[in-house]
Amino acid sequence: MALKIAIVGRPNVGKSTLFNRLVGKRLALVDDRPGVTRDRRYADGNIGDMDLTLIDTAGYEDVSDDTLESRMREQTEAAIEDADVILFTMDARDGVTQLDRIFADRIRGVHKPIILLANKSESRESMGGVGEAYSLGFGEPVPISAEHGEGMADLYQALVRASENVFIEEVDEPEKPIRIAVIGRPNAGKSTLINRLIGDDRLLTGPEAGITRDSISVDWEYEGQNIRLIDTAGMRRKARVNEKLEKLSVADTIRAITFAEVVVLVMDKDDAFDMQDLQLADLVEREGRALVYVASKWDLEEEPQARLAQLKAMADDKLPQLKGSEFVALSSFNGRGVDRLMPAILKAYETWSVKVKTKDLNDWLSMATQRHPPPAVDGKRIKPKYISQIKARPPTFVLMATRADSMPEHYKRYLVNSIRESFDLKGTPMRLNVKSSSDNPYAAGGAKSGPERFKGAAKTAPRKVLKAEKEEKFSNLPGKALEQKAKAGIKPKVKPLGGLKASASKKSGTNAIVGKGARGGARQVSRSGRIRTGQKGGAKR
């Protein structure tokens, strides 16, 4: 089990920055304005060889009324009670403030190790604030800079000394939980729903809209199954999002949808399925996540049966790509219908994870194409041949067919809807990839062709090209050409005189060349060695 540490202090002293530094990720939202963090957030981190469970908390405010700041203070006190070691963080540039002294008096009675951190100590001007920190009565402060990562070695040594007498219980590694993201517009009742599910006021709630800013994860166990509920910030229409902090919250919500497995879309029963709800549902489908609709504040509905039937018909009509998704109507205020939510989530998760046998798929393909044959494009009919499921979560299928690029989109939708009805995959997003059955995977550009290799320049060339190159290389002057050929190592060819045939010289066994006679020209030698005169009957004497 890791050492559990709570990072506490007044607002805007760098608690979330230190939290992100120790976690190694930018999980918590960070901004220059105070009071960005409101809920307490848990995450696993480490420093050196020490495993940590970190708790990021809201800035401490000295109020005790019914305001939002008072509820934030209660979350901070709950984190202090849950932690093994407390990191009391103050701003070294501002020095010790009155709120620092009030908070120090508040935690002085806590019988747990307390480490005083003087954050933002990267400059010379902050040394005065480090000296003032001694007056808080927690011993020597540890100067650090969470933004630049300075002082982490000193923090590690302080944590080693503080945890010497802390008993850390060893527990088995839990099974991987099902990640469930709860999304919706602001003030739809997402945090209240999670608190009702787990039976604890774990998340900050209230009548104010937009209380939740970070995506807060809560680990829970339901009937032996590990569950991780993720509370997200409310998402308004993009045109209304102007502030930087709200843009960061929306990006954090989209990230939670991306890494979730089941998404619960919470809607107000009075204006369910407006434009923003439809866009959120479409985003979930494009990300390939299982979806469950929730109509909240159902205790205020006067005609629940008729309204529920109307909302289900509206969902199937406006979101046909998610037709048949689970729909739950509930009230987080009094708990009505909340017990039906987790069975619906587990059913959607099971459908999302289904794997269909290849034999059953091909039997279905044969019947589906007989009932509705593929259309003919440009006078040629498309022939589906084979289908298989290559992955689940979401179910993804590959269909092999001739002329796959020409298959119309409406026929693909027909096949997807037929799969959904035949194998009871209602509500879950599906993927169908159509590939050509005649494609050669080893051809250039194919799936198994591999990178193209350089084979080098050609070793042979046409004879005419080589001859032309040689003629251009040597000079046209006879003497100069012989000199160039001698340097290149090319021996000149010697032609026999007077048209002496090579065959005649070889047959006579001699290579002698007879000089010119009186009549001019070359004289040929017969096989017997006699000189031919060219006259009939032999030469005259």
Side-chain angles (χ1 to χ4, degrees):
M1 188 72 177
L3 183 67
K4 192 174 291 186
I5 294 177
I7 305 175
V8 300
R10 64 180 178 86
N12 206 27
V13 295
K15 300 183 296 298
S16 296
T17 306
L18 178 60
F19 176 84
N20 290 340
R21 171 71 59 179
L22 296 177
V23 171
K25 301 177 184 177
R26 297 192 63 178
L27 293 181
L29 299 184
V30 177
D31 196 71
D32 294 334
R33 71 178 71 181
V36 173
T37 304
R38 291 175 174 175
D39 288 282
R40 66 182 192 270
R41 180 171 194 157
Y42 289 72
D44 295 330
N46 61 76
I47 180 169
D49 58 351
M50 184 180 296
D51 294 330
L52 306 174
T53 298
L54 299 159
I55 312 174
D56 187 23
T57 62
Y60 183 83
E61 299 283 356
D62 187 26
V63 288
S64 58
D65 49 12
D66 295 333
T67 60
L68 177 62
E69 288 76 11
S70 177
R71 299 196 297 273
M72 291 163 58
R73 180 184 60 81
E74 293 175 358
Q75 292 287 325
T76 301
E77 293 176 350
I80 293 173
E81 294 295 329
D82 192 22
D84 299 323
V85 179
I86 300 171
L87 297 183
F88 179 22
T89 310
M90 51 90 62
D91 192 339
R93 291 183 298 190
D94 296 340
V96 178
T97 64
Q98 182 62 27
L99 191 56
D100 288 329
R101 298 183 188 278
I102 294 174
F103 187 57
D105 294 337
R106 166 66 185 82
I107 65 174
R108 203 182 308 277
V110 178
H111 301 289
K112 293 181 180 181
I114 300 174
I115 300 174
L116 179 60
L117 301 181
N119 193 23
K120 307 180 184 179
S121 300
E122 65 273 5
S123 61
R124 231 178 245 181
E125 291 77 7
S126 60
M127 291 298 102
V130 175
E132 292 181 11
Y134 283 92
S135 63
L136 294 175
F138 294 106
E140 182 180 1
V142 180
I144 65 168
S145 175
E147 180 69 25
H148 301 91
E150 299 178 5
M152 293 297 108
D154 297 335
L155 176 59
Y156 171 75
Q157 296 295 333
L159 285 173
V160 171
R161 292 192 298 269
S163 61
E164 290 178 352
N165 299 325
V166 176
F167 174 72
I168 302 176
E169 183 182 0
E170 295 292 336
V171 296
D172 296 334
E173 189 70 20
E175 296 181 0
K176 187 177 180 181
I178 300 176
R179 296 186 297 272
I180 303 171
V182 183
I183 66 171
R185 287 175 294 157
N187 206 25
K190 302 180 293 295
S191 301
T192 306
L193 175 60
I194 294 178
N195 287 342
R196 173 66 66 173
L197 274 175
I198 65 178
D200 185 19
D201 293 335
R202 170 65 180 80
L203 300 172
L204 194 63
T205 59
E208 302 88 353
I211 292 179
T212 304
R213 287 174 174 171
D214 295 87
S215 294
I216 307 298
S217 61
V218 179
D219 290 334
W220 179 50
E221 184 175 340
Y222 174 78
E223 296 183 356
Q225 174 68 54
N226 292 327
I227 303 293
R228 177 166 294 171
L229 297 168
I230 305 172
D231 185 25
T232 62
M235 295 179 65
R236 299 192 299 169
R237 275 191 262 177
K238 188 176 181 180
R240 298 182 180 179
V241 179
N242 298 319
E243 296 184 1
K244 173 187 173 183
L245 185 58
E246 188 172 0
K247 291 181 180 179
L248 294 175
S249 299
V250 171
D252 203 21
T253 301
I254 295 175
R255 190 182 307 113
I257 295 173
T258 303
F259 290 99
E261 294 169 325
V262 182
V263 177
V264 178
L265 177 57
V266 181
M267 303 171 291
D268 194 324
K269 67 174 183 63
D270 295 328
D271 53 356
F273 295 109
D274 70 345
M275 184 59 67
Q276 182 65 7
D277 292 333
L278 295 177
Q279 289 179 351
L280 289 176
D282 184 65
L283 173 62
V284 173
E285 193 276 334
R286 284 186 280 113
E287 291 292 338
R289 304 296 175 240
L291 180 64
V292 176
Y293 299 116
V294 169
S296 63
K297 305 177 183 179
W298 203 249
D299 55 322
L300 303 177
E301 180 60 42
E302 298 178 356
E303 299 179 357
Q305 297 296 331
R307 180 60 176 167
L308 182 60
Q310 181 184 3
L311 290 177
K312 287 183 177 180
M314 192 181 301
D316 293 342
D317 179 58
K318 294 187 175 183
L319 295 165
Q321 67 272 30
L322 293 170
K323 188 175 181 180
S325 296
E326 297 292 327
F327 200 107
V328 179
L330 52 82
S331 171
S332 302
F333 179 74
N334 58 13
R336 176 184 176 185
V338 176
D339 56 337
R340 297 194 297 268
L341 178 58
M342 283 309 301
I345 290 175
L346 295 179
K347 183 179 179 181
Y349 177 77
E350 183 180 358
T351 305
W352 184 65
S353 307
V354 75
K355 188 73 168 65
V356 184
K357 295 181 180 180
T358 303
K359 180 181 180 302
D360 297 338
L361 281 172
N362 284 278
D363 292 342
W364 160 84
L365 180 63
S366 177
M367 292 186 294
T369 53
Q370 289 178 8
R371 183 169 59 247
H372 187 184
V377 181
D378 296 332
K380 297 180 181 180
R381 186 169 295 278
I382 302 171
K383 297 180 181 179
K385 294 185 176 181
Y386 179 81
I387 188 172
S388 65
Q389 183 178 357
I390 59 174
K391 65 180 290 291
R393 302 182 180 183
T396 304
F397 305 90
V398 172
L399 173 64
M400 307 301 293
T402 59
R403 308 180 71 245
D405 296 337
S406 302
M407 181 173 288
E409 289 297 326
H410 67 83
Y411 194 76
K412 293 180 183 179
R413 289 195 297 270
Y414 159 71
L415 294 177
V416 170
N417 292 332
S418 182
I419 292 175
R420 196 186 301 277
E421 295 176 1
S422 300
F423 298 101
D424 196 18
L425 302 179
K426 297 180 180 179
T428 188
M430 296 172 57
R431 306 288 184 262
L432 178 63
N433 302 323
V434 184
K435 295 184 178 181
S436 178
S437 59
S438 60
D439 289 344
N440 182 3
Y442 293 96
K448 299 183 180 180
S449 61
E452 186 176 355
R453 295 180 295 176
F454 177 69
K455 299 180 180 179
K459 297 181 179 180
T460 60
R463 185 181 299 274
K464 293 182 180 181
V465 176
L466 294 177
K467 185 176 181 180
E469 291 178 355
K470 287 185 177 181
E471 289 177 355
E472 293 178 0
K473 186 183 296 184
F474 302 119
S475 175
N476 294 328
L477 299 176
K480 189 67 174 176
L482 290 174
E483 184 180 351
Q484 291 177 349
K485 290 180 180 180
K487 290 182 179 180
I490 301 175
K491 296 180 180 181
K493 296 181 180 180
V494 180
K495 297 181 180 180
L497 298 178
L500 181 64
K501 294 183 179 180
S503 59
S505 63
K506 290 180 180 178
K507 290 179 181 179
S508 61
T510 177
N511 292 329
I513 301 176
V514 181
K516 294 182 179 180
R519 295 184 181 182
R523 296 184 179 182
Q524 297 181 355
V525 182
S526 66
R527 294 183 181 178
S528 61
R530 298 174 61 184
I531 298 175
R532 296 178 179 178
T533 60
Q535 299 178 2
K536 295 181 179 181
K540 294 183 180 181
R541 295 183 180 177

